[in-house]
Amino acid sequence: MRAVIIAIGVAFLVSLFCTPIAIKVFTRLKAGQPIRSLGLASNQGKKGTPTMGGVVFILATVIAYVAGHLALTTLPDAQIAQVEPTITALVLLGLMVFSGAVGFIDDFLKVRKRHSGGLNKRGKLAGQILVGAIFGIVALYFPSSMTDASGAATNTETVGASTLSFIRDIPALDISKIGAVVIFIFVVMAATNGVNLTDGLDGLATGASVMVLAAYALIAFWQYRHWCADPAYTANPNNYCYTVRDPLEIALIAGAAAGACVGFLWWNTSPARIFMGDTGALGLGGLIAGMAMSTRTILLLPIIGGLFVIITMSVVIQIISFRTTGKRVFRMSPLQHHFELAGWSEVNIVVRFWIIAGIGVAIALGLFYSDFLAAMG
């Protein structure tokens, strides 16, 4: 727990104090977000606000991960605490960094062209598929073994599983490793685009991501405290345990990313002094997808990230309705802009949507804990 708290604190402080530096640097480089004239009240006065702020909290997460590992070396139970970096960390941080890199290219092209178009849809889609495929293969085909004090292997689980999962793996739904990689690519695409579509108002996607990442930190830490690789816990055969790969590592990274987003939110909340851009949105989406896979909660993700699902579906419904009937269901999509045109203030929309995000997280955590109680009962 101490290592997770240290990682959260370091990420928060790095993000909080480095974001103003990024604001000055990006402003000097004229890396302002191009704003389309859509008649939205929230767009007024935002032209020229620096973008690509996601670079800050991605770097803060990586730095905090290193700091958390330094703390792990002092733990008395270090033989089960993943002192050395693992494939789990490679997958999770790799998803965040490389998904963010796809977004960075998009942001860079927008700034360079002074146009909101950026990377074309095919290029962005190809990048998401490539990142999902590479890290999906690593997660499914390369087990990361741990050793105890005697040097014997204690856990050879892969980061992901070949079965679909809800609260835990569902053995009856074995889709093979190839099928699992394909599903994971879809999850990466859904999560990155979901966060990206939500990032339309100051602080909206950042705050929602904090809740989702905090939920995964709690889930992963709970799995660590009830881990099948912990001989002290499994000494009692009546104890229910989780067969996952490096849960403390997952909790550390999720906590660090949440802390980094909180530090960034200080500057990103209305009126935003910097935007996360596609760099941050795609980076967070990639990490969230990795969290769902590594904690074996793939099918729980739509509930934990309920706000992202609702906003994404508003876009899908709008497109289908317009193409089939020529009519729009919403005044504008994504959904947050519908309420803007209905007269809601930006702050009201953000706070109320945060409440929706919190409800989704609360329901998901309730399902997770109730499943544990049922398994123990």
Side-chain angles (χ1 to χ4, degrees):
M1 186 65 177
R2 179 172 57 186
V4 176
I5 292 174
I6 289 173
I8 294 171
V10 169
F12 169 74
L13 293 174
V14 170
S15 188
L16 179 67
F17 291 109
C18 289
T19 300
I21 299 174
I23 293 173
K24 292 180 180 178
V25 171
F26 290 144
T27 300
R28 190 172 302 168
L29 294 174
K30 298 182 179 180
Q33 174 72 44
I35 302 294
R36 289 186 298 170
S37 180
L38 298 174
L40 297 172
S42 65
N43 284 354
Q44 297 177 8
K46 292 187 178 182
K47 186 176 181 179
T49 302
T51 186
M52 296 187 283
V55 170
V56 179
F57 58 72
I58 290 174
L59 288 175
T61 301
V62 175
I63 292 171
Y65 170 75
V66 175
H69 263 264
L70 293 176
L72 282 177
T73 60
T74 64
L75 290 176
D77 56 346
Q79 67 270 20
I80 64 164
Q82 303 99 27
V83 175
E84 297 179 357
T86 64
I87 287 182
T88 303
L90 171 66
V91 170
L92 294 179
L93 294 177
L95 283 165
M96 188 180 198
V97 171
F98 285 94
S99 294
V102 175
F104 182 84
I105 295 171
D106 187 38
D107 288 332
F108 178 78
L109 291 176
K110 289 177 183 177
V111 171
R112 185 177 181 181
K113 296 177 181 178
R114 297 289 186 266
H115 188 270
S116 60
L119 188 65
N120 61 50
K121 293 181 180 179
R122 289 184 179 180
K124 189 181 293 186
L125 183 64
Q128 293 168 336
I129 292 174
L130 181 62
V131 171
I134 290 173
F135 290 101
I137 290 171
V138 173
L140 269 296
Y141 286 90
F142 295 90
S144 176
S145 61
M146 270 175 50
T147 57
D148 57 23
S150 65
T154 59
N155 192 350
T156 56
E157 286 289 326
T158 54
V159 179
S162 61
T163 58
L164 288 179
S165 57
F166 181 53
I167 305 298
R168 54 181 181 268
D169 289 332
I170 306 173
L173 298 180
D174 193 325
I175 55 176
S176 79
K177 289 185 177 181
I178 294 176
V181 171
V182 173
I183 291 294
F184 181 64
I185 292 172
F186 172 77
V187 173
V188 169
M189 293 168 58
T192 51
N193 286 303
V195 178
N196 199 20
L197 290 171
T198 304
D199 184 34
L201 299 179
D202 295 351
L204 178 56
T206 310
S209 296
V210 169
M211 298 182 206
V212 172
L213 290 166
Y216 276 119
L218 290 172
I219 287 172
F221 191 76
W222 186 263
Q223 290 175 332
Y224 171 66
R225 299 296 296 177
H226 306 86
W227 192 22
C228 293
D230 183 355
Y233 179 74
T234 55
N236 184 346
N238 295 321
N239 286 340
Y240 175 77
C241 66
Y242 294 92
T243 305
V244 293
R245 176 67 257 171
D246 309 322
L248 184 59
E249 193 95 323
I250 301 168
L252 194 154
I253 294 172
C261 285
V262 172
F264 181 76
L265 184 59
W266 181 273
W267 307 101
N268 181 237
T269 192
S270 182
R273 292 186 56 188
I274 188 170
F275 300 139
M276 69 166 67
D278 280 17
T279 305
L282 269 60
L284 288 174
L287 177 61
I288 289 170
M291 289 291 161
M293 174 182 61
S294 59
T295 57
R296 311 293 173 86
T297 55
I298 288 286
L299 298 180
L300 189 65
L301 176 58
I303 302 175
I304 294 180
L307 178 64
F308 302 140
V309 174
I310 291 170
I311 288 177
T312 301
M313 289 307 301
S314 73
V315 176
V316 173
I317 291 170
Q318 187 84 324
I319 293 173
I320 293 175
S321 176
F322 187 75
R323 289 184 177 178
T324 56
T325 68
K327 297 181 180 180
R328 292 180 172 87
V329 177
F330 307 103
R331 290 182 171 91
M332 183 181 291
S333 65
L335 188 61
Q336 61 267 32
H337 298 316
H338 166 83
F339 288 105
E340 274 194 280
L341 293 178
W344 291 23
S345 70
E346 181 175 12
V347 173
N348 276 342
I349 297 170
V350 170
V351 172
R352 288 168 180 171
F353 276 37
W354 280 352
I355 293 172
I356 294 172
I359 290 172
V361 165
I363 292 173
L365 290 177
L367 290 172
F368 181 83
Y369 185 62
S370 62
D371 175 80
F372 176 81
L373 293 179
M376 289 291 286

